[in-house]
């Protein structure tokens, strides 16, 4: 039987104006899960800034939010570039007002055997996922502290933060850093009115994944291998994100919420068939 399907896309969990008058910045918000989260913030009244490298991604994201009647802008940003981050915040402030909520969603995502991983691949993923999260978060916090306004940060983690996993040496190590960073920043910034949480998605298929991952995607079959009996729906992640950053979670900080249908907990002494890394990612 598995876990029941969630309410339909478009259903509201929080009061309709929860984010009215608020500015939400989502890195990598033009595709996949970032776009799904941006959509739920927009549905609840937020003005949304999508910050990423690719113009087409940003335009697709902005169009989807505008179709909901939301105010949305796209801003060019590579989260590895600390000077550009400050300019991005300036641009969002000029167009929408100061950022109230930051979602650190941008990530590099290409599985590779560790022995075949170039130094550049390693550095690039760590730079985007861990360094990008740190740089965007500190820029956000410096401004909120200076203006004496409260704020919320949501980092996007992954369950292989705790387990590691084949083909993910770079990403798993970087996500582990993000989970840990969430806690340090939460305790440093609670006195300043800034909350910092993390959301660790399980398997959430979508059509914006890179080709190598898209080719491996089979939501029906993948769902049957998850204790919940199904994969996650991107809008479920959007609901969790909007809750964690909302005033309804105002005593919740430093927490990593796992949304994965109990998938990462099924490891035991008896494991599914072992497939060597050479066969998984030749
Ligand atoms: P995705 O569609 O590939 O999204 C990644 C986004 O990051 C893209 O919009 C990309 O936009 C942006 N990005 C990449 N490098 C960037 C950079 N240097 N600067 C700024 N933006 C950058 O992947 P996704 O599946 O939606 O993943 C979203 C988040 O969920 C990631 O943090 C991922 O690790 C996490 N996650 C996903 C799953 C899943 O099942 N899908 C599972 C666990 C965790 P541009 O190309 O326009 O820069």
């Amino acid at each position: 039987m598995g876990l029941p399907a969630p309410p339909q896309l478009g259903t509201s969990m929080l009061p309709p104006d929860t984010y009215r008058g608020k500015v939400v910045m989502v890195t990598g918000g033009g595709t996949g899960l970032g776009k799904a989260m941006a959509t739920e913030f927009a549905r609840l009244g937020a003005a949304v800034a999508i910050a990423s490298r690719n113009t087409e991604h940003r335009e697709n994201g902005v169009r989807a939010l505008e179709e909901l009647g939301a105010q949305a802008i796209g801003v060019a940003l590579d989260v590895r570039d600390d000077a550009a981050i400050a300019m991005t915040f300036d641009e969002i402030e000029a167009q929408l007002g100061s950022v109230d909520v930051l979602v650190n969603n941008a990530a590099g995502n290409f599985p590779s055997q560790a022995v075949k991983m170039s130094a550049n691949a390693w550095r690039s993923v760590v730079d985007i996922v861990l360094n990008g999260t740190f740089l965007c978060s500190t820029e956000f916090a410096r401004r909120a502290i200076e203006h004496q306004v409260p704020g919320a940060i949501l980092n996007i983690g992954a369950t292989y933060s705790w387990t590691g996993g084949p083909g993910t040496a770079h990403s798993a190590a970087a996500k582990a850093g993000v989970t840990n960073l969430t806690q340090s920043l939460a305790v440093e910034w609670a006195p300043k009115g800034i909350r910092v949480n993390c959301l660790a998605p399980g398997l959430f298929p979508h059509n914006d994944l890179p080709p190598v991952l898209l080719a491996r995607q089979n939501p029906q079959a993948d769902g049957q291998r998850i204790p919940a009996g199904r994969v996650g729906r991107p809008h479920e992640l959007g609901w969790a994100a909007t809750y964690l950053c909302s005033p309804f979670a105002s005593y919740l900080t430093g927490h990593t919420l796992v949304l994965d249908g109990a998938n990462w907990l099924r490891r035991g002494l008896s494991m599914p068939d072992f497939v060597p890394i050479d066969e998984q990612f030749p």
Side-chain angles (χ1 to χ4, degrees):
M1 177 183 157
L3 298 181
Q8 292 296 315
L9 173 67
T11 312
S12 234
M13 182 184 80
L14 294 168
D17 283 338
T18 300
Y19 287 96
R20 184 75 55 203
K22 301 292 180 197
V23 176
V24 177
M25 170 178 169
V26 184
T27 65
T31 65
L33 305 187
K35 185 175 171 189
M37 289 186 279
T39 298
E40 297 309 318
F41 281 106
R43 232 190 270 289
L44 294 170
V48 179
I50 291 174
S52 80
R53 299 160 306 170
N54 182 296
T55 311
E56 199 185 332
H57 289 165
R58 296 194 304 273
E59 285 176 357
N60 286 342
V62 166
R63 199 174 314 117
L65 304 184
E66 286 177 343
E67 280 167 11
L68 295 171
Q71 189 181 9
I73 60 167
V75 190
L77 174 67
D78 186 324
V79 296
R80 293 168 288 188
D81 182 345
D82 50 333
I85 289 170
M87 288 191 291
T88 299
F89 275 84
D90 286 343
E91 192 175 337
I92 297 170
E93 275 179 26
Q95 289 198 54
L96 299 178
S98 46
V99 179
D100 300 285
V101 172
L102 166 67
V103 181
N104 285 309
N105 165 78
N109 206 356
F110 48 91
S112 166
Q113 296 188 31
V115 289
K116 293 186 175 175
M117 196 180 285
S118 67
N120 191 40
W122 167 268
R123 283 196 195 103
S124 176
V125 170
V126 173
D127 238 359
I128 298 169
V129 171
L130 180 56
N131 299 344
T133 295
F134 174 78
L135 294 170
C136 289
S137 298
T138 44
E139 186 62 36
F140 172 86
R142 276 191 286 269
R143 289 170 189 244
I145 292 166
E146 187 190 325
H147 299 142
Q148 298 196 310
V149 292
I153 296 175
L154 182 65
N155 297 327
I156 305 303
T159 54
Y160 50 49
S161 279
W162 297 288
T163 61
T168 63
H170 45 6
S171 177
K175 292 288 191 185
V178 167
T179 309
N180 183 281
L181 181 65
T182 299
Q183 296 168 185
S184 299
L185 300 185
V187 70
E188 281 199 25
W189 295 343
K192 309 290 184 190
I194 299 168
R195 295 187 299 112
V196 189
N197 288 299
C198 182
L199 189 49
L203 196 56
F204 281 79
H206 59 78
N207 291 332
D208 295 326
L209 285 171
V212 62
L213 294 178
L214 210 50
R216 297 165 66 94
Q217 184 170 282
N218 182 342
Q220 196 65 32
D222 291 342
Q224 281 162 12
R225 287 193 291 269
I226 292 173
R230 66 175 179 85
V231 295
R233 314 265 162 86
H235 64 280
E236 291 182 272
L237 207 64
W239 291 332
T242 50
Y243 164 67
L244 287 170
C245 298
S246 78
F248 297 94
S250 59
Y251 200 53
L252 200 164
T253 190
H255 184 69
T256 293
L257 179 70
V258 175
L259 202 64
D260 82 333
N263 200 31
W264 88 282
L265 299 174
R266 72 196 172 113
R267 288 164 190 246
L269 289 177
S270 168
M271 299 285 278
D273 291 346
F274 176 69
V275 184
I277 183 74
D278 302 299
E279 289 173 33
Q280 288 194 49
F281 301 106

